């Protein structure tokens, strides 16, 4: 009522309306007080850094501050593409992300389909709970666990290799194996957790569909092929679109904890490069420019895949 | 989407009523399925068990290769050693401090924002909602965030681990959605009695919102326990290091300073035993509680997948 009234008043009398708004604001003053801590926090810690991105168009000097530092136009971006170091980390990122998408994206879908076919509910719950476990561990811990387990000297994996007469591989210290190891540990950490969304989609399939199929004499594989998989397709497409931006993203916490000098040629990716140039070598503007470029490309990728998804007749995310 | 378990039970019951003898290929598939899922589950358990067993072993066993599940030559020397180290204790203290501070202050800030946004009549509501949502899609990134903390003079301050992630946009939105489902009539009665919004939030809304508070609170606890990167870049004082960073220095940099600061004892004990014991000390609290709290996390994913 209050708001419709004020709409009418807008037309009639502006001054009166202003009074009205003030009155409404005054009426809700306690709500604004409640919001205040969060608003101040967001301005200081979320919006100020967004404003800080303009240093990618400046030559940032700590003494001069963001405002005082001179504008340099696109010089930082030119410097990125002129050097060779960026193109190495760029391709490292894209190749690693491509493998991650190729193997990591279907993994939880397959697990969800497998779990869905398990008839022993208790066993299913047990497997689910165990596969959630890595989600609750930090990458520091995961890297620690894996480095022990895959240690070429006395780890159990090396032991099996030796027993079979194969020379043990140092999975995390050999550039040839580094990408493989990152894909594997990435799947290991997230497969159980990522599978939840698909399991929810699977359990919302109407059981009548299955009953009708059984009466029609469909085998179990046919039911999976013609009912289960098509039913989860929309959610698969949506997640694929959302993940397409990750082609140029990388998991900093994962790579950073596994990275060592031996594998730098294959393992160094954009985020670790930004960390090194930005915070270690303190080339602030240069590193910020890389970040900005990366975010722009990621956004573009999501936009393009959404467009393609819509073209082929699937539902997009917007 | 509403009640997953019921649908599940119904379905398996109906399957049983329509008995169709499993074909041979179906039975092979079932065996294959049990096998694959068991291998996957083992791959998650074994690395933890291996490190656990080694952490309780004496140094000479650690250098023997192979998989360890039960400690051979039981020994507590690793634990005795690291528990004497000052940094394990300060690490624990700093981690617990950040977990508690972030959870309490974070929940207050999140609720304070979510509750007004749930009021449809609030002037400027959509503007404030956008204000919250925009940072979900655009962020300053590593360097601007770091420079911001530096400019605010928070380097080496514990506040640097608390303030930048105090309230998360996603948490605010799901809490707002929860509040929107609470009937207005409850608050109206209190309003007529002259209670103000702050009183209503804490006395009427809060007791009704325990499920969402538990969910967001537990997310914050686990997230904060596992955070390390902010401490790595913002904190230089080793006394303010959180547990994860102490762990990182011990296992990756084999930092003698971290382990050996307090006990200048001979390094007779193997580095490996120390590493293993440190890993276990850092993960035991999480491993002990995660099976009981996972349902809150699962629920959160479901809430998030519904459009709000």
């Amino acid at each position: 009522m209050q708001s419709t009234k004020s709409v009418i008043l807008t037309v009639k009398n502006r001054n009166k309306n202003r009074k009205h708004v003030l009155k409404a604001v005054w009426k809700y003053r306690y709500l604004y007080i409640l919001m205040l801590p969060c608003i101040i926090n967001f301005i200081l810690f979320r919006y100020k850094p967004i404003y800080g991105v303009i240093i990618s168009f400046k030559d940032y000097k700590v003494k001069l501050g963001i405002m005082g530092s001179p504008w340099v136009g696109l010089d930082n971006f030119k410097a990125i593409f002129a050097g060779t170091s960026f193109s190495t980390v760029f391709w490292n990122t894209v190749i690693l992300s491509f493998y991650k998408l190729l193997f990591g994206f279907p993994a939880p879908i397959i697990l969800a389909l497998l779990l869905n076919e398990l008839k022993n509910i208790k066993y299913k719950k047990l497997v689910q709970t165990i596969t959630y476990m890595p989600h609750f561990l930090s990458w520091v811990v995961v890297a620690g666990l894996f480095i022990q387990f895959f240690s070429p000297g006395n780890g159990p994996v090396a032991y099996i290799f030796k027993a079979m007469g194969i020379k043990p591989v140092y999975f995390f210290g050999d550039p040839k194996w580094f990408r493989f190891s990152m894909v594997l540990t990435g799947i290991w950490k997230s497969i159980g957790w990522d599978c939840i969304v698909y399991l929810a989609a699977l359990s919302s399939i109407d059981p009548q569909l299955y009953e009708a199929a059984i009466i029609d004499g469909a085998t179990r594989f046919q039911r999976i092929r013609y009912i289960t998989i098509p039913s989860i397709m929309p959610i698969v497409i949506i997640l694929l679109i959302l993940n397409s931006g990750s082609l140029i993203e990388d998991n900093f916490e994962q790579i950073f904890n596994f990275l060592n000098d031996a594998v730098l040629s294959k393992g160094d990716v954009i985020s670790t490069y930004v960390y090194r140039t930005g915070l270690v070598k303190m080339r602030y503007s240069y590193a910020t420019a890389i970040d900005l470029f990366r975010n722009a490309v990621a956004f573009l990728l999501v936009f393009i895949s959404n467009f393609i998804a819509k073209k082929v007749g699937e539902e997009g995310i917007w | 989407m509403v009640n997953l378990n019921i649908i599940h039970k119904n379905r398996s019951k109906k399957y049983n009523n329509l008995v169709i003898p499993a074909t041979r290929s179906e039975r092979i598939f079932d065996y294959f399925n049990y096998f694959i899922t068991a291998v996957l589950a083992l791959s998650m358990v074994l690395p933890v068990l291996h490190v656990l067993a080694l952490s309780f072993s004496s140094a000479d066993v650690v250098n023997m290769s192979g998989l360890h599940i039960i400690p051979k030559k039981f020994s507590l020397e690793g634990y005795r050693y690291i528990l004497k180290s000052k940094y394990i204790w300060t690490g624990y203290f700093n981690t617990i401090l950040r977990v508690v501070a972030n959870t309490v202050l974070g929940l207050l800030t999140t609720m304070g924002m979510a509750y007004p946004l749930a009021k449809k009549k609030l002037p400027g509501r959509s503007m404030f909602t956008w204000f919250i949502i925009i940072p979900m899609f655009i962020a300053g990134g590593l360097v601007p965030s770091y420079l911001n903390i530096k400019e605010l003079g928070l380097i080496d301050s514990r506040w640097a681990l608390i303030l930048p992630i105090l309230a998360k946009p996603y948490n605010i939105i799901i809490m707002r959605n929860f509040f929107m489902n609470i009937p207005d009539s409850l608050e109206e009665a209190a309003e007529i009695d002259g209670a103000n919004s702050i009183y209503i939030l804490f006395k009427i809304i809060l007791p009704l919102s325990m499920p969402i508070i538990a969910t967001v609170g537990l997310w914050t606890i686990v997230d904060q326990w596992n955070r390390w990167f902010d401490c790595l870049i913002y904190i230089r004082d080793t006394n303010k290091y959180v547990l994860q960073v102490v762990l990182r220095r011990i296992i990756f940099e084999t930092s003698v300073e971290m382990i050996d600061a307090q006990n200048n004892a001979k390094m007779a004990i193997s580095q490996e035993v120390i590493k293993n014991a440190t890993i276990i000390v850092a993960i035991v609290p999480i491993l002990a509680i995660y099976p009981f709290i996972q349902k809150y996390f699962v629920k959160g994913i479901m809430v998030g997948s519904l459009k709000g």
Side-chain angles (χ1 to χ4, degrees):
Chain A
M1 271 305 270
Q2 196 86 17
S3 58
T4 38
K5 229 184 213 170
S6 58
V7 169
I8 298 161
L9 282 169
T10 323
V11 189
K12 279 188 177 170
N13 191 329
R14 256 183 201 196
N15 278 335
K16 232 181 183 178
N17 175 44
R18 200 164 290 157
K19 238 183 207 168
H20 236 88
V21 171
L22 284 177
K23 225 175 159 184
V25 170
W26 181 248
K27 188 186 162 198
Y28 291 109
R29 62 193 181 281
Y30 289 108
L31 290 180
Y32 291 115
I33 293 172
L34 278 172
M35 287 160 81
L36 208 58
C38 187
I39 292 174
I40 294 172
N41 182 272
F42 267 51
I43 291 172
L44 278 181
F45 295 100
R46 294 192 190 262
Y47 282 95
K48 255 189 80 196
I50 294 175
Y51 160 76
V53 172
I54 62 165
I55 66 167
S56 55
F57 301 101
K58 288 185 163 209
D59 181 18
Y60 179 79
K61 293 274 187 300
V62 177
K63 275 180 201 156
L64 300 172
I66 295 174
M67 285 291 272
S69 297
W71 291 96
V72 292
L74 294 175
D75 281 5
N76 290 315
F77 293 91
K78 279 178 199 153
I80 294 171
F81 298 109
T84 51
S85 48
F86 179 71
S87 80
T88 313
V89 294
F90 177 84
W91 287 114
N92 279 348
T93 308
V94 172
I95 294 168
L96 178 60
S97 300
F98 176 75
Y99 284 139
K100 278 192 160 188
L101 205 60
L102 189 67
F103 299 105
F105 186 76
I109 303 174
I110 295 166
L111 179 63
L113 291 174
L114 290 178
L115 287 173
N116 196 47
E117 293 297 321
L118 287 174
K119 289 185 192 113
N120 187 335
I121 300 298
K122 268 195 186 146
Y123 176 74
K124 183 185 160 189
K125 276 260 147 62
L126 180 73
V127 172
Q128 263 182 285
T129 306
I130 291 173
T131 53
Y132 294 162
M133 184 266 290
H135 175 81
F136 292 88
L137 304 178
S138 72
W139 271 112
V140 176
V141 169
V142 173
L145 289 176
F146 270 95
I147 289 169
Q148 294 289 323
F149 204 70
F150 285 85
S151 150
N154 47 21
V157 175
Y159 184 74
I160 296 169
F161 271 51
K162 278 178 207 158
M164 294 195 304
I166 309 167
K167 202 168 158 263
V169 179
Y170 192 10
F171 286 97
F172 304 107
D174 185 343
K176 273 188 285 184
W177 287 96
F178 193 74
R179 281 176 189 148
F180 171 82
S181 312
M182 289 306 100
V183 172
L184 203 71
T185 51
I187 292 176
W188 185 85
K189 192 165 191 296
S190 63
I191 187 169
W193 200 252
D194 291 348
C195 155
I196 294 173
V197 177
Y198 300 111
L199 280 176
L202 287 173
S203 56
S204 63
I205 299 173
D206 187 353
Q208 288 184 356
L209 285 174
Y210 289 103
E211 286 154 25
I214 292 171
I215 291 164
D216 287 345
T219 67
R220 196 150 141 219
F221 300 117
Q222 285 172 324
R223 296 197 298 267
I224 297 174
R225 168 73 185 79
Y226 294 104
I227 299 173
T228 314
I229 292 177
S231 303
I232 59 166
M233 243 12 222
I235 186 107
V236 170
I237 298 288
I238 288 174
L239 289 175
L240 194 60
I241 294 171
L242 290 174
N243 272 310
S244 63
S246 69
L247 213 51
I248 195 170
E249 309 268 356
D250 47 71
N251 189 340
F252 175 80
E253 301 215 340
Q254 177 190 16
I255 310 286
F256 188 69
N257 280 314
F258 280 111
L259 202 60
N260 52 66
D261 289 340
V263 293
L264 216 55
S265 62
K266 291 283 169 66
D268 199 16
V269 289
I270 295 178
S271 63
T272 50
Y273 184 67
V274 167
Y275 171 77
R276 243 193 0 269
T277 50
L279 296 192
V280 180
K281 293 181 188 155
M282 294 191 280
R283 295 172 67 190
Y284 296 128
S285 288
Y286 179 79
T288 310
I290 294 175
D291 242 354
L292 183 61
F293 169 74
R294 194 242 318 250
N295 287 334
V297 175
F299 184 76
L300 200 69
L301 286 174
V302 174
F303 192 80
I304 292 169
S305 35
N306 189 49
F307 178 78
I308 295 170
K310 273 186 170 172
K311 271 273 180 268
V312 297
E314 294 285 347
E315 213 175 309
I317 51 171
W318 65 73
Chain B
M1 255 340 216
V2 188
N3 200 331
L4 312 176
N5 288 332
I6 289 174
I7 297 170
H8 241 283
K9 273 173 199 154
N10 284 347
R11 194 208 290 176
S12 42
K13 240 182 232 160
K14 276 175 184 155
Y15 264 137
N16 290 342
N17 292 342
L18 299 160
V19 180
I20 293 174
T23 62
R24 193 156 157 266
S25 59
E26 283 177 16
R27 254 179 294 140
I28 293 172
F29 171 75
D30 277 332
Y31 290 133
F32 166 80
N33 196 352
Y34 276 105
F35 176 73
I36 291 285
T37 45
V39 167
L40 184 74
L42 274 181
S43 83
M44 314 243 156
V45 176
L46 287 182
V48 179
L49 276 184
H50 177 71
V51 169
L52 182 69
L54 287 183
S55 74
F56 282 109
S57 303
S58 65
D60 45 327
V61 174
V62 176
N63 295 325
M64 277 159 54
S65 55
L67 178 66
H68 299 257
I69 294 175
I70 309 158
K72 290 170 205 144
K73 286 197 194 168
F74 184 84
S75 151
L76 285 173
E77 54 186 317
Y79 290 98
R80 221 175 284 138
Y81 204 86
I82 60 162
L83 293 181
K84 261 190 270 168
S85 158
K86 172 186 153 205
Y87 290 108
I88 294 291
W89 294 103
T90 55
Y92 248 102
F93 173 77
N94 291 326
T95 296
I96 290 170
L97 192 70
R98 77 173 293 175
V99 167
V100 171
N102 263 297
T103 311
V104 174
L105 298 177
L107 277 173
L108 286 174
T109 326
T110 307
M111 269 191 319
M113 192 73 204
Y115 179 64
L117 289 183
K119 295 271 158 274
K120 290 205 176 70
K121 287 178 190 165
L122 183 82
R125 177 176 178 255
S126 72
M127 185 187 82
F128 287 115
T129 309
W130 277 112
F131 179 81
I132 296 304
I133 292 173
I134 288 169
M136 281 172 92
F137 299 101
I138 323 170
L142 180 67
V143 174
S145 303
Y146 171 79
L147 293 176
N148 184 39
I149 294 292
K150 205 172 161 186
E151 211 173 279
L152 293 168
L154 292 178
I155 295 287
D156 240 1
S157 157
R158 290 194 175 93
W159 287 110
L161 310 182
I162 298 168
L163 295 176
I165 32 167
L166 201 54
K168 289 186 173 172
Y170 184 78
N171 293 352
I172 295 172
I173 298 298
I174 69 154
M175 212 179 248
R176 179 203 69 159
N177 293 353
F178 185 92
F179 289 149
M180 277 163 73
N181 289 328
I182 296 177
D184 287 339
S185 53
L186 288 168
E187 297 158 58
E188 276 159 14
E191 259 168 49
I192 292 165
D193 290 344
N196 69 49
S197 307
I198 299 175
Y199 181 88
I200 293 173
L201 173 60
F202 285 100
K203 290 285 170 180
I204 297 171
I205 302 295
L206 192 69
L208 292 172
S209 311
M210 280 310 159
I212 195 73
I213 289 172
T215 304
V216 173
L218 287 169
W219 288 350
T220 314
I221 290 171
V222 173
D223 176 49
Q224 289 295 327
W225 183 273
N226 284 332
R227 258 174 198 274
W228 52 275
F229 185 62
D230 48 1
C231 178
L232 189 79
I233 59 176
Y234 298 144
I235 305 291
R236 273 149 213 175
D237 181 354
T238 47
N239 288 315
K240 289 178 186 165
Y241 274 4
V242 297
L243 189 59
Q244 299 284 340
V245 172
V246 175
L247 177 68
R248 225 191 98 78
R249 301 229 16 206
I250 291 177
I251 54 183
F252 298 131
E253 295 161 32
T254 325
S255 162
V256 179
E257 175 209 357
M258 279 287 133
I259 324 165
D260 220 24
Q262 248 14 30
N263 28 217
N264 293 314
K266 57 276 164 206
M267 289 300 287
I269 178 162
S270 154
Q271 287 284 351
E272 297 302 307
V273 179
I274 294 169
K275 284 184 191 178
N276 291 322
T278 317
I279 293 176
I280 294 302
V281 163
I283 62 176
V284 155
I286 287 286
L287 287 187
I289 60 165
Y290 101 86
F292 307 103
I293 61 172
Q294 44 135 331
K295 63 167 190 242
Y296 290 98
F297 286 75
V298 174
K299 206 164 59 188
I301 291 186
M302 300 307 157
V303 174
S305 62
L306 298 174
K307 280 182 182 170

